[in-house]
C-alpha cells in the first residue's frame, strides 16, 4: 500500500497561458479512495496524468509513499492507470489482454497466467477469459481493464472516468463493484470524475476542483453540508444550494431544508415563497419560486419529499421556513464562507 501526495503542483501549457493545475496540495492516506471532482476543463485529468508521470509538472513535486518521484518515468512509480477508453487489444483474448503487461515486464510464463487468473477471479470474469473484447458488455470490458491494471500489484490506482462509457444503469452497478473491489484490495486510489453522484458514492474524500485549484477537500458529507465557498455549494447537490442575498452576504440553504413552515419545528427562519412552477422527480416535489431576504426577489428551489403533501399551486404565496442550523453564509464578493448574520424570522 502507499500514499500519494502532490506539493504546490503547477502544470502550465502554452508558455503559461493555460494554467491547467495552478498550485495544488493534496495528500491521501494509505488505502484511501480520493476523488477529484470538478467541471470539464478544471484540470483533473492533468493532475492525474502528472501524478502518473505522463506529464512533467511545471513546478512542484509528486510524492508516492514518501519518495519524491517527480522526474521518474511512470513505470518506476508502482501505479496502475485505467482511462476513460479502456484500450483493450481487440484481437487478443481477455486472458491475453490481462497477461500483456506482465509479458512486457518480463514475468516468467507460468507466473503470468496464475496472476491473471487470480485477478480475473477477484473481478468475477474467469468465465470470460477465452472471449474477445467485442464479445463483452461495457461493464465486463471495464472489469478486464481493471484486471489488467491489477496484475501488476500496483500500490496506487489512478482511474480517469473509467465508467463514462457505460449507460446509466450499468454505471450504478459498476460503481458498486468498483467500491467493493477497492475495499477488497485496499489500494490507494485517485479517481477522476465530473459526476458528483459518483464522487459522493465512491470517495472517502472528495477534492472539488475549479480552474486548476482545489476549492475544498473533505468527506462527502463535509463538502455537502459545509461547503467552503459558493462554487462548492452550487457544484455539489442537485438541485444546487440556494443562495439568497442579504446585505453583502449570501445566505445559503439546501433545497431539502426549505419546507412549508408547518413542517419545520424548532428555531427557524421563515420566508414567503412565491410559487412559480413545480416538477415531480422520483417522488419528490421540486418547487421553483422566489423569496426575498431584503435584497429583492431571488429564485430558489424547494425539494419536498412525498411525505409533505401541503397543497401548493403556481402563483400562490406560501409560508416556508429553513431551520437556523441549516443556514450557511458566504461573502458576496469572495464567495468564501463567512460568519452568520441575523436573518429576519
Ligand atoms: P474534462 O473533464 O473535460 O476531461 P479536466 O478537468 O480533466 O476536463 P484537463 O483535461 O486537465 O481538464 O484540462 C485542463 C485545462 O488544460 C483545459 O483548459 C485544457 O484545455 C488545458 N489543456 C490540457 N492539456 C493541454 C495541452 N496538452 N495543451 C494545452 N492545453 C491543455
Amino acid at each position: 500500500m502507499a500514499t500519494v501526495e502532490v506539493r504546490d503542483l503547477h502544470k502550465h501549457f502554452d508558455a503559461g497561458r493555460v494554467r491547467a493545475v495552478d498550485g495544488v496540495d493534496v495528500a491521501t492516506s494509505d488505502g484511501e479512495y480520493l476523488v477529484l471532482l470538478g467541471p470539464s476543463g478544471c484540470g483533473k485529468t492533468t493532475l492525474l496524468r502528472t501524478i502518473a508521470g505522463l506529464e512533467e509538472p511545471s513546478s512542484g513535486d509528486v510524492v508516492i509513499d514518501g519518495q519524491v518521484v517527480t522526474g521518474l518515468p511512470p513505470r518506476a512509480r508502482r501505479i496502475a492507470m485505467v482511462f476513460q477508453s479502456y484500450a483493450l487489444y481487440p484481437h487478443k483474448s481477455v486472458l491475453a489482454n490481462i497477461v500483456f503487461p506482465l509479458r512486457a515486464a518480463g514475468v516468467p510464463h507460468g507466473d503470468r497466467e496464475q496472476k491473471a487468473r487470480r485477478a480475473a477471479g477477484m473481478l468475477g470474469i474467469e468465465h470470460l477469459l477465452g472471449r474477445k473484447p467485442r464479445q463483452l458488455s461495457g461493464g465486463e470490458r471495464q472489469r478486464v481493464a481493471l484486471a489488467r491494471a491489477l496484475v501488476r500489484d500496483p500500490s496506487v490506482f489512478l482511474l480517469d472516468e473509467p465508467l463514462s462509457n457505460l449507460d446509466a444503469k450499468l454505471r450504478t452497478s459498476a460503481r458498486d463493484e468498483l467500491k467493493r473491489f477497492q475495499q477488497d484490495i485496499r489500494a490507494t486510489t485517485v479517481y477522476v470524475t465530473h459526476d458528483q453522484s459518483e464522487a459522493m458514492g465512491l470517495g472517502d474524500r472528495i477534492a472539488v476542483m475549479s480552474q486548476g485549484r482545489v476549492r475544498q477537500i473533505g468527506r462527502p458529507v463535509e463538502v455537502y453540508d459545509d461547503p467552503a465557498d459558493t462554487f462548492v455549494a452550487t457544484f455539489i447537490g442537485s438541485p444546487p444550494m440556494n443562495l439568497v442575498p442579504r446585505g453583502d452576504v449570501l445566505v445559503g440553504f439546501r433545497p431539502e431544508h426549505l419546507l412549508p413552515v408547518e413542517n419545520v419545528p424548532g428555531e427557524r427562519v421563515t420566508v414567503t415563497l412565491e410559487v412559480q412552477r413545480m416538477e415531480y422527480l422520483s417522488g419528490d416535489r421540486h418547487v421553483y419560486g422566489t423569496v426575498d431576504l431584503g435584497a429583492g426577489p431571488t429564485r430558489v428551489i424547494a425539494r419536498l419529499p412525498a411525505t409533505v403533501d401541503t397543497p401548493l399551486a403556481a402563483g400562490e404565496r406560501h409560508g416556508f421556513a429553513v431551520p437556523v442550523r441549516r443556514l450557511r453564509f458566504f461573502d458576496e464578493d469572495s464567495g468564501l464562507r463567512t460568519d452568520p448574520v441575523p436573518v429576519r424570522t
Side-chain angles (χ1 to χ4, degrees), residues 84-105:
Q84 210 168 86
S85 53
Y86 314 130
L88 299 176
Y89 298 103
H91 303 298
K92 291 188 197 291
S93 67
V94 167
L95 179 62
N97 263 285
I98 299 174
V99 158
F100 188 79
L102 298 175
R103 255 175 62 189

Side-chain angles (χ1 to χ4, degrees), residues 232-246:
V232 178
T234 50
F235 187 74
I236 304 235
S238 177
M241 182 177 269
N242 296 302
L243 295 172
V244 181
R246 175 164 178 79

Side-chain angles (χ1 to χ4, degrees), residues 13-256:
F13 294 108
D14 290 343
R17 278 189 290 278
V18 178
R19 293 165 175 256
V21 177
D22 196 17
V24 169
D25 287 277
V26 168
T28 71
S29 55
D30 199 8
E32 185 175 34
Y33 205 117
L34 178 72
V35 176
L36 305 179
L37 172 71
S40 180
C42 72
K44 331 178 269 297
T45 296
T46 306
L47 177 55
L48 197 75
R49 288 174 57 83
T50 313
I51 294 171
L54 300 170
E55 301 278 0
E56 279 258 341
S58 306
S59 64
D61 275 316
V62 179
V63 181
I64 295 181
D65 222 8
Q67 306 281 323
V68 175
V69 297
T70 325
L72 291 184
R75 65 177 181 285
R77 300 188 180 197
R78 282 194 63 216
I79 46 161
M81 285 193 91
V82 178
F83 288 105
Q84 210 168 86
S85 53
Y86 314 130
L88 299 176
Y89 298 103
H91 303 298
K92 291 188 197 291
S93 67
V94 167
L95 179 62
N97 263 285
I98 299 174
V99 158
F100 188 79
L102 298 175
R103 255 175 62 189
V107 174
H109 191 80
D111 291 356
R112 280 184 223 158
E113 186 156 333
Q114 196 194 352
K115 279 178 170 255
R117 287 190 183 279
R118 192 167 55 97
M122 282 185 79
L123 289 154
I125 51 171
E126 308 100 308
H127 60 295
L128 303 174
L129 288 172
R131 290 206 204 163
K132 297 279 166 59
R134 72 183 142 76
Q135 297 167 313
L136 305 177
S137 74
E140 289 164 347
R141 272 184 226 147
Q142 184 220 338
R143 277 179 269 165
V144 175
L146 279 170
R148 189 175 59 178
L150 187 65
V151 284
R152 294 170 52 219
D153 286 330
S155 37
V156 175
F157 264 102
L158 304 179
L159 307 179
D160 189 356
E161 309 233 14
L163 308 185
S164 58
N165 295 337
L166 309 182
D167 68 47
K169 200 167 156 205
L170 203 52
R171 272 178 94 116
T172 312
S173 62
R175 188 162 86 201
D176 192 41
E177 277 175 21
L178 206 56
K179 184 78 187 175
R180 274 188 287 148
F181 163 70
Q182 200 265 353
Q183 280 167 346
D184 283 348
I185 62 165
R186 288 315 294 175
T188 305
T189 304
V190 184
Y191 184 99
V192 161
T193 183
H194 62 268
D195 180 331
Q196 54 163 308
S197 53
E198 228 167 84
M200 299 294 270
L202 285 171
D204 293 322
R205 282 189 305 159
I206 301 174
V208 185
M209 293 186 65
S210 150
Q211 299 185 332
R213 298 194 174 175
V214 173
R215 296 298 193 102
Q216 184 172 7
I217 179 161
R219 290 180 295 121
V221 61
E222 286 166 351
V223 293
Y224 188 82
D225 278 348
D226 271 311
D229 61 21
T230 50
F231 175 82
V232 178
T234 50
F235 187 74
I236 304 235
S238 177
M241 182 177 269
N242 296 302
L243 295 172
V244 181
R246 175 164 178 79
D248 50 9
V249 161
L250 294 170
V251 181
F253 46 89
R254 294 268 171 214
E256 63 271 28

